[in-house]
Amino acid sequence: MQEQVDVSDEQIEKAVALLRAGKLVAFPTETVYGLGADASNVSAIRKVFAAKQRPADHPLIVHLAETAGLKHWASVVPREAWLLAEAFWPGPLTMVLPRAAHVPGELTGGQSTIALRVPSHPVAHRLLLAFGGAIAAPSANRFGRLSPTSAAHVREELGDAVDYILDGGDCPVGIESTIVAFRNSSAVILRPGKITAEQIAETLQSEVVPPLASSPRVSGTLPSHYAPRTPLRVVEPEALESMLRREASQRPVAVLARRGRPSNTRAALWQVAPQTPEEYAHHLYSLLRRMDSAGCELIIAEAVPDLPEWVAIRDRLMRASAEDVEAPSIATGT
Ligand code: TXA
Ligand code: MG
């Protein structure tokens, strides 16, 4: 893997010129790579949906250089949103707020709210400052696939559908941002991420409430999202051996384990996962991509601990393992 690398001023200028011309530029953020377009240009926004093959009713996240931009894009900014911005921006947090009147419906999938975030990645920040406007960017993958955490992943996912890729190396966090909405004065987590419910509750000095079944649609919360092509099953540690005995005798199986390879296993591939939640998240999607292309018929992932700092990783493993669930019309944030 290639850790964080810098980009030149010329590369930033080229990216800015392309964005101004309505083209698509992929860029690194601290979470995953984004597929960027000028958030004020409706035809550029439409290109994002086409490139991703994403349904038009799945809204994009708008990336801002500074917290002050909130006032321009949201019609109402509650006190709680300012508090979270102060605590976690720039950083891996997205806030869903009522959208300002000028916001194109194409951006928000026709919803009355808009998702906003100020990323901390130095390349994303330089790009946003130089561009001088807001950049709409979903993760730079085809709809329903794993998010890219390197420039090579973006190329693999989008090929010629993206006009330019700013290569900033591997994304440090490795999983998508925490998405927070507000109900009355309470925060609701629509998608767990590195910033935990506990951190948000502590900052707001109030409990985080669970999402309603009718919460706004978050495509990252459809059960079949973030899936590798090879079927994936998550198994509790105590059931790993018996599942392997059953499965690995019939077909090639890859294992994403939290322990070393036992001498007697029949697994075709045994990948030891990183031990800490930070390292696990950082490597998760590239490990799944690698395991996905290893020619196995099944990936078995050993479940991670049921603890607050592992919630986002449990969530992504669970979604990657949901087999062919029909794309539901639901929009639970659960
Ligand atoms: O870390 C991230 O958030 C990355 C980087 C590139 O910033 N972006 C990302 O974008 O994950 P995307 O489009 O793959 O996921 C954004 C999620 C989608 O599930 C979308 O449905 C949800 O945010 N979203 C966007 N606008 C929303 C809104 N108004 N209400 C509820 N959910 C919204
Ligand atoms: Mg995505």
Side-chain angles (χ1 to χ4, degrees):
M1 286 182 82
Q2 172 201 33
E3 292 307 319
Q4 221 158 306
V5 296
D6 212 1
V7 307
S8 67
D9 289 342
E10 289 70 32
Q11 286 173 296
I12 295 279
E13 278 162 32
K14 178 171 178 189
V16 166
L18 288 166
L19 287 171
R20 293 211 172 112
K23 306 277 189 197
L24 304 185
V25 173
F27 63 99
T29 80
E30 67 278 24
T31 57
V32 301
Y33 272 73
L35 177 62
D38 179 349
S40 307
N41 179 336
V42 172
S43 82
I45 295 165
R46 290 207 180 105
K47 282 187 206 162
V48 172
F49 284 90
K52 276 191 66 110
Q53 298 166 341
R54 174 167 170 141
D57 60 349
H58 287 263
L60 306 184
I61 294 178
V62 173
H63 296 68
L64 309 169
E66 315 276 357
T67 299
L70 267 180
K71 283 182 295 207
H72 179 70
W73 292 90
S75 61
V76 182
V77 184
R79 185 181 145 268
E80 291 74 23
W82 291 119
L83 287 173
L84 293 185
E86 194 179 296
F88 302 113
W89 279 357
L93 177 78
T94 296
M95 290 197 271
V96 173
L97 296 170
R99 75 182 212 213
H102 67 85
V103 173
E106 282 82 357
L107 205 49
T108 65
Q111 302 199 39
S112 58
T113 50
I114 183 166
L116 297 160
R117 134 168 157 80
V118 177
S120 63
H121 195 290
V123 174
H125 187 67
R126 278 167 66 202
L127 178 66
L128 283 158
L129 277 182
F131 180 59
I135 301 177
S139 51
N141 52 282
R142 303 242 177 222
F143 185 65
R145 312 302 326 174
L146 297 169
S147 292
T149 54
S150 73
H153 296 167
V154 178
R155 252 173 242 121
E156 198 177 297
E157 285 288 323
L158 297 173
D160 292 342
V162 54
D163 297 298
Y164 189 53
I165 303 173
L166 278 173
D167 184 350
D170 293 333
C171 300
V173 175
I175 56 171
E176 307 80 357
S177 60
T178 306
I179 303 183
V180 172
F182 299 95
R183 199 160 76 229
N184 305 321
S185 300
S186 303
V188 181
I189 296 193
L190 300 180
R191 180 176 71 186
K194 179 181 163 68
I195 293 170
T196 62
E198 287 72 16
Q199 286 176 283
I200 289 168
E202 195 184 317
T203 305
L204 298 180
Q205 290 293 299
S206 75
E207 247 178 82
V208 170
V209 299
L212 297 171
S214 60
S215 291
R217 180 194 296 267
V218 177
S219 61
T221 64
L222 300 181
S224 62
H225 221 63
Y226 309 126
R229 288 180 170 83
T230 313
L232 181 144
R233 274 196 229 151
V234 183
V235 61
E236 293 302 328
E238 57 278 13
L240 177 61
E241 264 178 58
S242 60
M243 182 181 269
L244 265 173
R245 266 198 305 276
R246 213 166 46 240
E247 298 292 345
S249 56
Q250 298 169 22
R251 47 184 171 165
V253 171
V255 182
L256 180 59
R258 306 202 65 238
R259 57 184 107 159
R261 182 187 180 101
S263 53
N264 58 353
T265 181
R266 298 174 78 167
L269 173 70
W270 188 280
Q271 175 69 51
V272 179
Q275 292 303 307
T276 67
E278 290 77 18
E279 283 292 302
Y280 198 114
H282 177 60
H283 292 284
L284 176 60
Y285 289 151
S286 57
L287 286 177
L288 286 180
R289 269 174 201 275
R290 204 182 316 146
M291 297 176 82
D292 202 14
S293 52
C296 289
E297 286 174 28
L298 177 69
I299 301 172
I300 299 177
E302 185 172 8
V304 298
D306 195 2
L307 294 170
E309 63 273 25
W310 289 93
V311 164
I313 294 164
R314 278 188 90 88
D315 170 82
R316 300 313 190 273
L317 283 177
M318 195 261 284
R319 293 181 199 299
S321 70
E323 278 173 53
D324 259 0
V325 185
E326 247 178 65
S329 55
I330 48 141
T332 69
T334 52

